[in-house]
Amino acid sequence: MSAGLPCAGLRVVELAVGVSDLGVGLAGGVPGLLLADLGATVTRVVGAAPVPLDAEVPWGRAWHRDKRIVRADDAAMALALLREADVALVYGPEERVERRGLGYRDLVKDNPSLVYARCRPSRTAKGETADYGMLVEASAGLYTQLAGHRPGPVFVDARASGVGTASLLSVSVLALLRRRALTGAGGWAETSLYDGMLATLGCMIGRSEAAPEEVESYWAKGSTFPNFLYRCADGELIQVWFGGKGMYAALIEVLGDEPSEDGYYTDQMTGRLGVRAARWSALFARRPRPDWITALRAAGVACEPVLGPGEALHDPHLTETALALTREDNGTTYVLPGSPITVSPLTPPPGDTQHGPAARSTEPGSPTPPREAGHGSLAAESGSSEAPAGPVAPGAAVGSGPGLLAGLRVADFSAFVAGPLAAEVLADLGADVVKVEPPGGEAMRAAAYAVAACQRGKRSVALDIGAPEAREAVERLLTWADVVVHNFRVGVAERLGIGAADVARVNPGAVYCHASAFGDSGPRARFPGNDALMQAVTGFEAAIGGAGNDPIAATWIPLDMAGGWVAAGGVLAGLLGSAADGAGRRVVTSLLGAGMLAHSGVHLRDGDLVLGPSLDGGQTGYGPGYRIYECADGAWLAVVVPDPAAWARLGESVADLPDAYAPLRGGPSDETARKAEAILEAAFAAEPAAAWTARLGEIGALCEPVELLDRDGFRAAILDDPVNRQTGRAVAYPTADWGRFEQIGPLLRYGPSDEPPSAAVRLSLPGVGEHTAEVLAETGMSRADIAALLATGKARQLKEAP
């Protein structure tokens, strides 16, 4: 295994027979794609006949680039590939997998070192939901959590279930591979589209016994924070963010608004910020967007143009940072989204000019269209320990505690969401994670949702890392850690003395992760970024708004969450590489790269966007065979018509439905699909939901009721579900400030192990500086030196701590 590509030499098999690209979304293609970009050879096994629903879905060109495609209806062929595989990514119902001898228990007999990751159909107390993201999200109530452009539930085109499931599968596989590299043992992991949806909602779901009203109100009622999205004089939209130091005053000055006497936080708490935000609409309408972007950036205020999905692929920054890859195929030029993870040596060899993002593997492993490898016949299958002081090379040994990362030590210098969430994922896997924050606590301590979603399971060291008095403590932490994580803007970590070179000097075997905004190189590397800006520039807001409508921002910061999962995957890829040779790794991920994942099937063909299915202006879905319908009684149904046979049977009870199967808008069958959609919309509106549910079941179509839940009902449906409690998807534990607290729990499920995965998780939220003295003592710092540091005020020990 080479130092540059941690998955080099690994053989990955994706078994995706009987599942739809449209249905499972990113979950079915992106995990294998990320492994291919990290050096693995990936073979994708699909049925000999394409899935009818996917006939006009072009996203596979992007998701399955650099994979070898095997079209087979012969289970024996799939079994032979899986017996020789290092990794299996397996999708579909039990009759297609376990009942055909393709489950983990069958395969491990002949292949004991296999890493097997299973995406199962979603199960809650309501029952099982088929593997279609729309059905899972509608049934869960996600479609009532955003106000749309019309009354009632709206199809939320955030790809929540697909993004989250891809993250869970990727992280699980990389963690299991790292353990295998150290011990030789394989293992399994499992998840579902429902788990994936939950993985994006950590900042949204919480319930407390005694939190202050402003805290509990957010979880019960949702955010009232303005979005700061404005239309300019040229009709174009701009997204503004001013959470950084001095940005609020600078924005006010650029706009010519009256100065704030009390500042950003006071204006926010008193409601004056909302008043300002409303009147700024008229101010932004006075000048075109390019003028505003120039003026705001010159003043140090963060802003981004609001683009559609895939439009950012035209930006040279994405090409320079390998987030956009150019491929040629038979005279056609494609630009496809690249990997959001870069892994390179922490200490580059002398004369290495490729250290950094340019070291990413960008060479095609196959022609742009995935390679075809013949036909068989598979469509017929059914069926916390104290760590010793001083450095220990990552992967030198596996700890004795529970969890895949038992014994691993992480120094988390990050703030806000993406970096801290990455470190929390490592804690969920059993790592000892120390959050290093200022003596007054990191800025996001004021945002309870971020603390709840991103700090669970950590220990807190309160330390002014930029103070000369704290330098010894900082260096000891860098030496103590196996992993160092931060998400500072480019150049800040170096100024604070925790940059890659600083870590390499004192701890050359460490994995160093920079969870950046735009990457650490390229023309936009130093730009500030956050969830709102990335929703704008990656097309996320425009996609949710629907065709012809104003964009709508998802309020649960999904791209910050995606950025955290991607960074966790990057750390694990670095650890996998280090396990092979003991050398350190430098990992760079970005919010931009994570944001591009959501609509990563969109690509360019000879300069033109290839969008695939897109949300309509009515915000109902992608076409007559994949959308939500309102019935006569005011209830809504999410409906999938998966194949021509179901379509024909539907036509027997719906007059004038076209004979041709046309489930989606936007492709060659667009005219037929739009005609069919109007006919079906009228038919559903003529009868109650119960009648349609029975009829659809009889003809082989799939449907789920759209749960009409307010925010409080939505969180209750998740937290009070008995299956969620049993599986650990929902957890409760005592906290110092909020009493008994409930939230989405650790979602990674894996084995085999003597301990359940939950045993690796510390269910607690640390107070600021609760573990300062304890951790510094573990790094080898003397009690006298710790006491002296605390006396300077540059470190803090929570008085209530033992």
Side-chain angles (χ1 to χ4, degrees):
M1 196 179 292
S2 70
L5 294 172
C7 292
L10 294 179
R11 295 160 298 183
V12 178
V13 174
E14 285 181 354
L15 178 61
V17 177
V19 294
S20 158
D21 263 357
L22 183 65
V24 296
L26 290 84
V30 167
L33 180 64
L34 293 177
L35 294 173
D37 283 338
L38 290 168
T41 299
V42 182
T43 300
R44 179 174 176 82
V45 181
V46 296
V51 175
L53 185 61
D54 293 341
E56 296 179 7
V57 178
W59 298 334
R61 179 174 288 275
W63 290 343
H64 308 316
R65 62 169 171 80
D66 303 338
K67 299 175 185 176
R68 173 174 173 259
I69 306 298
V70 173
R71 296 191 177 279
D73 287 342
D74 181 3
M77 181 181 292
L79 187 60
L81 288 168
L82 289 166
R83 282 175 174 160
E84 298 297 321
D86 298 291
V87 176
L89 291 160
V90 181
Y91 306 84
E94 290 185 3
E95 61 267 21
R96 294 270 182 163
V97 179
E98 283 78 10
R99 295 180 190 173
R100 297 294 179 180
L102 301 173
Y104 174 73
R105 289 186 176 88
D106 297 300
L107 296 174
V108 75
K109 297 172 186 175
D110 296 321
N111 190 356
S113 64
L114 177 67
V115 168
Y116 184 98
R118 178 78 163 91
C119 182
R120 294 186 179 279
S122 300
R123 290 186 178 90
T124 65
K126 293 169 63 175
E128 182 177 298
T129 305
D131 274 333
Y132 294 87
M134 176 187 65
L135 299 181
V136 171
E137 294 164 15
S139 176
L142 184 66
Y143 288 177
T144 54
Q145 300 311 301
L146 278 180
H149 294 294
R150 56 164 175 77
V154 297
F155 184 110
V156 180
D157 199 10
R159 317 286 172 93
S161 54
V163 171
T165 308
S167 299
L168 289 166
L169 288 169
S170 302
V171 163
S172 298
V173 166
L174 289 166
L176 287 164
L177 281 172
R178 184 255 181 182
R179 183 181 67 175
R180 190 182 89 147
L182 300 176
T183 68
W188 59 265
E190 68 173 30
T191 189
S192 67
L193 293 180
Y194 180 80
D195 289 285
M197 181 194 71
L198 296 184
T200 71
L201 301 179
C203 285
M204 184 183 189
I205 303 299
R207 185 167 60 197
S208 71
E209 179 182 47
E213 172 58 27
E214 63 270 18
V215 172
E216 179 62 21
S217 178
Y218 167 79
W219 288 316
K221 299 176 183 177
S223 174
T224 59
F225 196 69
N227 188 36
F228 308 111
L229 182 70
Y230 296 103
R231 191 168 296 281
C232 303
D234 54 1
E236 300 291 348
L237 287 157
I238 187 171
Q239 177 73 62
V240 181
W241 175 67
F242 44 87
K245 185 177 180 180
M247 286 187 184
Y248 185 49
L251 173 61
I252 288 172
E253 183 175 353
V254 171
L255 289 173
D257 197 7
E258 60 186 59
S260 170
E261 295 180 1
D262 300 314
Y264 172 71
Y265 287 107
T266 300
D267 284 2
Q268 179 183 341
M269 296 301 294
T270 60
R272 288 194 291 269
L273 178 60
V275 174
R276 284 182 183 274
R279 69 169 175 256
W280 288 346
S281 294
L283 300 180
F284 273 100
R286 295 175 181 174
R287 297 168 65 181
R289 184 168 72 184
D291 288 3
W292 282 121
I293 288 178
T294 300
L296 291 171
R297 287 180 177 168
V301 179
C303 62
E304 291 293 338
V306 179
L307 304 179
E311 290 182 10
L313 291 171
H314 291 290
D315 188 332
H317 176 83
L318 276 80
T319 300
E320 185 167 332
T321 56
L323 288 174
L325 307 178
T326 300
R327 304 290 171 83
E328 301 289 336
D329 177 38
N330 294 326
T332 300
T333 300
Y334 293 90
V335 178
L336 308 168
S339 173
I341 297 171
T342 297
V343 181
S344 57
L346 178 60
T347 305
D352 179 12
T353 60
Q354 294 298 304
H355 184 52
R360 188 195 314 268
S361 171
T362 59
E363 291 301 315
S366 61
T368 298
R371 295 189 303 256
E372 298 282 343
H375 285 61
S377 51
L378 205 265
E381 34 162 36
S382 27
S384 153
S385 310
E386 289 196 359
V392 176
V398 178
S400 59
L404 294 176
L405 300 184
L408 192 83
R409 298 172 300 198
V410 179
D412 173 21
F413 290 92
S414 58
F416 302 103
V417 175
L421 176 61
E424 181 186 276
V425 172
L426 303 179
D428 285 349
L429 288 165
D432 178 9
V433 179
V434 169
K435 177 170 182 61
V436 185
E437 56 186 320
E442 72 142 293
M444 289 300 280
R445 286 274 181 179
Y449 62 85
V451 175
C454 303
Q455 307 302 349
R456 184 186 61 230
K458 302 179 185 180
R459 297 190 287 171
S460 170
V461 168
L463 188 66
D464 182 354
I465 62 175
E469 299 91 331
R471 190 62 212 165
E472 179 190 354
V474 170
E475 295 238 343
R476 285 185 175 275
L477 284 166
L478 296 180
T479 305
W480 167 90
D482 300 311
V483 175
V484 175
V485 179
H486 78 84
N487 60 346
F488 291 116
R489 288 173 65 176
V490 170
V492 174
E494 289 72 19
R495 176 169 56 80
L496 293 171
I498 61 167
D502 301 293
V503 175
R505 174 175 52 82
V506 299
N507 193 354
V511 170
Y512 174 89
C513 177
H514 181 191
S516 70
F518 287 90
D520 67 345
S521 67
R524 310 192 71 183
R526 293 182 180 270
F527 282 27
N530 77 335
D531 181 271
L533 296 172
M534 295 306 170
Q535 286 199 45
V537 77
T538 63
F540 201 85
E541 291 176 331
I544 295 175
N549 297 328
D550 281 348
I552 294 177
T555 57
W556 52 89
I557 53 175
L559 298 194
D560 269 345
M561 298 294 288
W565 281 102
V566 166
V571 169
L572 290 163
L575 287 168
L576 175 61
S578 292
D581 58 19
R585 294 296 191 275
R586 182 173 180 268
V587 175
V588 178
T589 64
S590 68
L591 278 181
L592 177 61
M596 293 296 292
L597 278 182
H599 294 274
S600 56
V602 176
H603 55 277
L604 302 179
R605 182 175 58 215
D606 289 336
D608 296 327
L609 276 172
V610 179
L611 287 171
S614 301
L615 187 62
D616 61 317
Q619 295 180 289
T620 63
Y622 298 148
Y626 200 89
R627 59 161 284 181
I628 60 174
Y629 289 95
E630 185 175 17
C631 300
D633 53 358
W636 289 73
L637 291 177
V639 177
V640 177
V641 187
D643 52 48
W647 182 272
R649 289 191 291 270
L650 183 60
E652 293 173 3
S653 57
V654 177
D656 300 323
L657 185 70
D659 292 335
Y661 181 55
L664 303 175
R665 283 179 260 99
S669 303
D670 181 74
E671 183 178 351
T672 303
R674 292 181 185 275
K675 178 181 177 182
E677 193 164 18
I679 291 169
L680 287 175
E681 194 170 72
F684 276 95
E687 295 188 61
W692 272 113
T693 300
R695 185 174 304 156
L696 291 168
E698 291 171 358
I699 67 172
L702 303 168
C703 74
E704 288 287 338
V706 179
E707 288 288 352
L708 306 179
L709 302 172
D710 63 11
R711 177 66 168 266
D712 188 43
F714 182 57
R715 69 168 177 171
I718 293 170
L719 296 175
D720 295 335
D721 186 288
V723 173
N724 289 351
R725 290 181 176 181
Q726 181 184 14
T727 58
R729 290 170 177 157
V731 294
Y733 53 92
T735 62
D737 297 326
W738 305 332
R740 185 176 186 270
F741 179 62
E742 300 168 85
Q743 67 176 160
I744 294 171
L747 295 168
L748 296 157
R749 296 192 297 276
Y750 54 85
S753 172
D754 294 335
E755 299 274 359
S758 58
V761 180
R762 183 199 303 257
L763 289 177
S764 63
L765 294 176
V768 179
E770 183 176 343
H771 309 93
T772 301
E774 171 187 316
V775 171
L776 292 181
E778 291 175 14
T779 68
M781 199 168 181
S782 71
R783 291 182 181 274
D785 287 345
I786 294 171
L789 178 59
L790 292 170
T792 68
K794 301 304 181 182
R796 173 187 172 193
Q797 171 66 48
L798 186 66
K799 289 190 173 98
E800 292 80 5

